[in-house]
Amino acid sequence: MNTSVGNTARLLGAGLRALLVLTLVCGVIYPLAVMGIGQGLFNHQANGSEITSNGKVVGSELIGQRYDLPLKKGEETPAPDLKWFQPRPSNGLGTNTVNTQYKLILSGATNRAGDNEELIQWVKDAKAAVIKDNSVDGYKVKPSDVPPDAVTSSGSGLDPAISPEYADIQVHRVAELNNLDVAQVQQLVNNHTDGRVLGFIGEPRVNVLELNIALKALEKG
């Protein structure tokens, strides 16, 4: 009996020591080491890939924002503020009243099949709106000019970037509403167009928040 009790005590002691060691290694040392490496070698990414404007954090390179007008009485969703470059359609992006904050509502895709009638109607309505909103005096958007990302959301619903093609068809509208030269605004798009990662991964893209920050600076200039 005494031998059994002694063995049990030794086993409990060994288990407790193992728990303490594993807690120290996995719960303290390892997290601190990973955090230290992240802060030391990948400081920008480790802190959320923040984007700043005038010394203030206004968003992340990884999460999109909306640019809408204040919600009017009777409206379920606010109308887009067309003086700014617009992001992809999304269920995940919240309101942004002064271009310095964003409110995350949810994330996710519609999960509707390509032949879903409701999804098809959404795409048709979005395409008609893109054509209408971006057609200005002297520049008419053709249906064939509208790229897929202008009328469909990403899988996460939080895509921070749009295609150069979608940015290009917004140039004339943005220039007109901000009293800017079209060539100036087009140059902004060109300057903020990133190519494929390592030259072959992904597609060329334009970060909408960074582009709108540059647009705001151009207005002030």
Side-chain angles (χ1 to χ4, degrees):
M1 186 69 178
N2 290 336
T3 301
S4 178
V5 171
N7 289 337
T8 300
R10 284 193 295 273
L11 289 173
L12 288 174
L16 181 59
R17 287 193 296 274
L19 175 62
L20 292 174
V21 170
L22 289 173
T23 299
L24 179 63
V25 173
C26 299
V28 179
I29 297 176
Y30 177 73
L32 287 176
V34 171
M35 183 174 68
I37 292 171
Q39 291 293 334
L41 300 179
F42 308 101
N43 181 265
H44 178 65
Q45 294 87 341
N47 288 293
S49 300
E50 295 173 338
I51 295 177
T52 60
S53 178
N54 296 323
K56 296 181 179 179
V57 176
V58 296
S60 169
E61 294 176 1
L62 308 176
I63 300 177
Q65 299 187 24
R66 291 205 56 81
Y67 302 86
D68 294 325
L69 295 169
L71 188 66
K72 295 181 180 179
K73 187 176 181 179
E75 287 185 336
E76 292 186 3
T77 56
D81 188 346
L82 296 178
K83 69 179 290 187
W84 302 105
F85 283 93
Q86 293 295 310
R88 297 181 66 168
S90 175
N91 293 323
L93 302 184
T95 57
N96 179 358
T97 57
V98 292
N99 266 4
T100 59
Q101 297 179 357
Y102 61 95
K103 180 181 179 182
L104 187 62
I105 298 177
L106 54 87
S107 173
T110 64
N111 291 325
R112 287 171 169 78
D115 59 354
N116 180 274
E117 292 184 2
E118 187 175 26
L119 178 61
I120 292 172
Q121 190 59 52
W122 285 351
V123 171
K124 287 181 178 178
D125 292 344
K127 190 170 188 176
V130 168
I131 293 171
K132 177 178 179 293
D133 290 343
N134 293 286
S135 293
V136 298
D137 290 341
Y139 179 76
K140 172 70 175 177
V141 177
K142 298 179 292 185
S144 59
D145 294 334
V146 181
D149 64 301
V151 296
T152 58
S153 62
S154 64
S156 68
L158 303 173
D159 197 337
I162 56 176
S163 66
E165 292 78 15
Y166 187 26
D168 287 343
I169 66 173
Q170 300 186 58
V171 165
H172 287 77
R173 179 252 299 163
V174 169
E176 181 178 276
L177 294 180
N178 289 282
N179 298 313
L180 296 170
D181 184 73
V182 170
Q184 283 182 295
V185 180
Q186 183 64 61
Q187 189 60 49
L188 281 185
V189 172
N190 296 342
N191 292 342
H192 287 82
T193 298
D194 296 319
R196 292 178 173 86
V197 178
L198 300 178
F200 67 95
I201 300 175
E203 296 293 332
R205 63 207 178 280
V206 182
N207 186 288
V208 182
L209 175 56
E210 292 179 341
L211 180 60
N212 279 330
I213 289 174
L215 174 64
K216 192 171 185 178
L218 186 62
E219 279 187 305
K220 291 181 178 180

